[in-house]
Amino acid sequence: MPNPLDVLPVADGIGLPWDVAVDDAVAAIAAAREHCGESFVVNSGGEQYLFTFSPTGVESFYALVEEAASKGVADFLMLRRKLPEEVFAGRRLLPNSLFRRDDVTSYLANLDRALDATEIELGESGTVDLFALTRRLGHRMGLASWAGPGCADGEAFERLVRAFDVLDGSDAFVHPDAMAAVAASGMRAERAALDEVAEVIEASLQQHDSTPENGDQLFSRIVSAWAMESPDVRSRGVAMDVALIHIASMSNLMAALGWALVDLIAHPDQLRLVAGGDRELASSCALESTRLAQRSIMARAVLEPVTFDTGAGVVDVPKGWTIATLLPLLNTSAAAGLEEWNPSRWHRHRLADAHALPSPMLVTAFGHGRHSCPAQPFSLAAMAMAMTRLVGRYDMRPEWTGHPRPVPAQIGGVARAADPCPLGYTVR
Ligand code: HEM
């Protein structure tokens, strides 16, 4: 089979935002696609990327096996630009072990309590930044779910919020242009934030040890995984497991909730029904807003040569390359009408008219195939719960001047808002 360079066009003069300054990373790849067609090569920072957007190319992408073309390695290569090695090395409980059935029930109970705390903080009326509100809510729910006793309240909570805002791994793809400065500093701020997390979790661990039956299920599982270690190794190991889980979990969910609220507030008919408690509609709205807010680069790092059908021909992709596609260039354009917000296009978690697409894999909010998101049911249930509670309790008035827009340099994850999004609210 030919090498991709022998048969595919190379997009001249574009680089990816973590290598060169790019104003709008998604627009740059869109322009390359316009020029080169549905599959092409990008050379960036000395690395080769095969981008594909054809129906066959995208289906081949989702069929890649982890051993040959790895999502885990591609994610790691991206996240290590922002996070110290220590966060990844030697982890015992990983983010993909978070979704046993009982776990989800306990996370949703924690979300309910986090919403109680949010209502107390908001009071009767005021103005709040919408994405700051959803982010704080996510911290509180997540830390109550896996960081051990005392971590979702008071000073311990505030310290962890500050530390995790520094550690936000999604910066690697939301602000890829800022990664050179992170590297130049030797990740000083990130290392200090990890020490802060370790200190707070150590206090929580002491509390857990004195009352081990306190029912923090996931935290107890993490603690058990480190039971045989010396006190220092145990304490640091538990803290780093909590850190990676929290960093992985907070990156998309609460940004998606922010966009779901932005869209819902702009659609009074659906807003009225969701405010009346219609969770099923809220879940479809959340899915639809997440589809539209997707900025994900889906990437696989090639670990051994793979045969790959781009739709225009079959190539042998060499080891060391990355194969990628970009959801924002598919989700809103794979068929007519996809640029509009329309929650009724979803039947539970599937597109009602997927057969109208050249391939059902061209549109997604949570991915397809073996790597699709294990947190999808939980994330949609959590967003639906938060939406019904918040719009049920408050009349919300957007106070933003222009419609919220994504950070232009972002490539990866769910869009983060480029500008402040002030939201006025009054108890109904
Ligand atoms: C609205 C919120 C979320 C969205 C839109 C989302 C989206 C996605 C997508 C598109 C993928 C597939 C990526 C690929 O194929 O390259 C994925 C995978 C994954 N997600 Fe999510 N996600 C969300 C929330 C979460 C949460 C809360 C967690 C909790 C830790 C999570 C954990 C994971 C994991 C572990 C994978 C990798 C699965 C694997 O490789 O087998 N996600 N997610």
Side-chain angles (χ1 to χ4, degrees), residues 361-385:
M361 295 200 170
L362 290 179
V363 173
T364 187
F366 287 88
H368 292 290
R370 47 177 63 83
H371 287 299
S372 67
C373 185
Q376 175 173 1
F378 159 68
S379 298
L380 291 174
M383 285 194 271
M385 177 193 271

Side-chain angles (χ1 to χ4, degrees), residues 64 67-70 300-306 317-323:
L64 287 167
E67 298 69 36
S70 167
R300 305 289 184 259
V302 179
L303 305 181
E304 54 187 62
V306 285
V317 186
K319 179 177 168 180
W321 281 53
T322 299
I323 306 176

Side-chain angles (χ1 to χ4, degrees), residues 111-409:
L111 176 59
D112 206 36
R113 283 192 282 274
L115 283 160
D116 293 342
T118 302
E119 287 181 0
I120 292 169
E121 285 181 359
L122 288 175
E124 298 277 301
S125 64
T127 298
V128 67
D129 182 86
L130 174 56
F131 287 87
L133 169 80
T134 60
R135 194 175 165 80
R136 189 167 168 82
L137 181 63
H139 278 312
R140 204 186 288 273
M141 174 193 66
L143 293 170
S145 299
W146 41 72
C151 287
D153 305 295
E155 188 49 23
F157 175 63
E158 302 300 342
R159 285 175 70 189
L160 288 172
V161 166
R162 283 193 294 272
F164 278 115
D165 280 347
V166 174
L167 285 167
D168 188 348
S170 67
D171 272 3
F173 50 82
V174 180
H175 297 288
D177 45 333
M179 290 307 104
V182 170
S185 76
M187 299 190 175
R188 203 176 319 114
E190 288 76 12
R191 288 179 204 285
L194 274 184
D195 288 344
E196 178 77 351
V197 170
E199 219 177 282
V200 179
I201 300 292
E202 188 174 7
S204 170
L205 186 55
Q206 279 165 8
Q207 208 175 318
H208 177 271
D209 287 346
S210 58
T211 51
E213 71 292 354
N214 58 19
D216 295 303
Q217 295 172 7
L218 183 61
F219 188 68
S220 297
R221 259 167 35 219
I222 299 174
V223 174
S224 305
W226 293 89
M228 307 306 283
E229 305 297 340
S230 67
D232 283 358
V233 172
R234 172 177 178 257
S235 177
R236 190 79 188 183
V238 168
M240 293 305 108
D241 275 8
V242 169
L244 184 60
I245 286 172
H246 196 64
I247 289 165
S249 73
M250 74 182 175
S251 74
N252 285 322
L253 179 53
M254 291 300 143
L257 174 61
W259 294 108
L261 288 167
V262 166
D263 291 332
L264 190 59
I265 293 165
H267 293 87
D269 291 346
Q270 287 88 350
L271 176 64
R272 204 172 315 109
L273 292 168
V274 172
D278 188 338
R279 286 250 187 121
E280 209 172 305
L281 175 61
S283 172
S284 300
C285 293
L287 192 49
E288 179 66 345
S289 293
T290 306
R291 173 184 73 83
L292 289 169
Q294 265 292 1
R295 300 281 288 187
S296 275
I297 182 172
M298 311 284 269
R300 305 289 184 259
V302 179
L303 305 181
E304 54 187 62
V306 285
T307 305
F308 188 84
D309 188 350
T310 65
V314 179
V315 288
D316 261 341
V317 186
K319 179 177 168 180
W321 281 53
T322 299
I323 306 176
T325 190
L326 213 54
L327 296 190
L329 296 190
L330 295 167
N331 270 357
T332 58
S333 58
L338 282 169
E339 63 289 355
E340 277 156 35
W341 186 84
N342 174 12
S344 68
R345 73 172 80 250
W346 296 99
H347 249 325
R348 307 192 123 263
H349 296 171
R350 290 183 188 282
L351 279 178
D353 56 357
H355 57 272
L357 296 169
S359 161
M361 295 200 170
L362 290 179
V363 173
T364 187
F366 287 88
H368 292 290
R370 47 177 63 83
H371 287 299
S372 67
C373 185
Q376 175 173 1
F378 159 68
S379 298
L380 291 174
M383 285 194 271
M385 177 193 271
M387 289 158 79
T388 44
R389 276 277 301 262
L390 289 170
V391 301
R393 180 161 172 84
Y394 298 103
D395 260 326
M396 294 184 167
R397 303 171 304 279
E399 291 178 1
W400 42 81
T401 37
H403 194 73
R405 59 187 183 101
V407 174

Side-chain angles (χ1 to χ4, degrees), residues 32-66:
R33 181 185 178 193
E34 186 90 356
H35 190 68
C36 298
E38 294 298 70
S39 299
F40 52 89
V41 175
V42 170
N43 287 314
S44 180
E47 308 281 333
Q48 265 99 19
Y49 297 79
L50 191 171
F51 275 94
T52 188
F53 298 97
S54 74
T56 304
V58 171
E59 287 181 2
S60 308
F61 174 87
Y62 284 117
L64 287 167
V65 296
E66 179 68 14

